[in-house]
Amino acid sequence: MALEIHNMAGHLIRRLNQISASVFQERMKAQGLTMTSVQFAAMNAVRAHPGMDQARLAGMIAYDRATIGGVVDRLESKGLLTRRVCEQDRRARLVSLTEAGEALLDELIPVVRSFQEDILSGLSEAERAEFLRLAAKAADGGNHLSRAPLILEKKS
């Protein structure tokens, strides 16, 4: 018997998050890795913007600024990131990928791309594209409601 929550956005989004996290962890384990989706997102953002500070990193991946340091700590302890003090603002920590981080990311990107369809396995290719379009629109529309909003750079 279906419950009212089974047709509520919040419940369905939580279930999809569970599915996504499960698939991600299963595939990382199959690669012999202990990598979280947040760590992967952080590495991906750092590659795109080497030398950015941790606060900017948190905004780029919509992650809580108070806990991004722990993510960076774990990546640094694995030898995947380096962190240094910013000369202009001694409170800021600038992060960059190491050679090992670059190499691992090169290995991981095709793996992560390969299982995206599995996360939405009940949808056709056209439906997946429409779902992603609508999910991005909903996330953008509700960004201001998040404790950790996505903060993208403005195009100049």
Side-chain angles (χ1 to χ4, degrees):
M1 178 169 122
L3 301 175
E4 183 178 2
I5 62 168
H6 294 158
N7 289 310
M8 291 183 169
H11 179 74
L12 293 170
I13 291 165
R14 183 185 63 76
R15 287 191 58 223
L16 284 171
N17 182 60
Q18 287 175 316
I19 292 164
S20 175
S22 177
V23 170
F24 190 94
Q25 289 306 310
E26 177 184 296
R27 302 302 164 82
M28 290 302 111
K29 187 176 179 182
Q31 296 291 311
L33 299 169
T34 53
M35 171 78 50
T36 68
S37 60
V38 173
Q39 291 170 345
F40 174 78
M43 289 178 65
N44 194 274
V46 171
R47 173 181 274 176
H49 300 279
M52 77 169 125
D53 66 60
Q54 288 181 193
R56 185 171 161 215
L57 170 60
M60 290 192 77
I61 65 170
Y63 201 70
D64 183 54
R65 286 177 66 167
T67 55
I68 195 67
V71 173
V72 173
D73 287 344
R74 285 182 285 287
L75 291 170
E76 187 177 38
S77 72
K78 292 178 181 184
L80 302 174
L81 282 182
T82 60
R83 180 172 26 193
R84 63 183 169 81
V85 175
C86 177
E87 292 179 17
Q88 293 78 21
D89 179 355
R90 308 282 301 157
R91 297 168 298 172
R93 301 292 180 263
L94 307 179
V95 292
S96 297
L97 289 178
T98 62
E99 285 185 30
E102 289 281 355
L104 180 61
L105 197 55
D106 285 340
E107 180 185 329
L108 288 179
I109 287 173
V111 173
V112 173
R113 283 182 184 148
S114 74
F115 63 72
Q116 295 306 300
E117 288 183 11
D118 296 341
I119 294 168
L120 299 175
S121 61
L123 303 179
S124 69
E125 186 175 341
E127 288 169 331
R128 282 191 299 273
E130 181 66 359
F131 172 84
L132 292 173
R133 185 187 74 75
L134 290 171
K137 184 177 181 179
D140 185 50
N143 194 47
H144 68 286
L145 301 171
S146 176
R147 288 188 344 245
L150 178 66
I151 302 170
L152 298 176
E153 294 182 344
K154 306 280 188 243
K155 293 182 182 178
S156 17

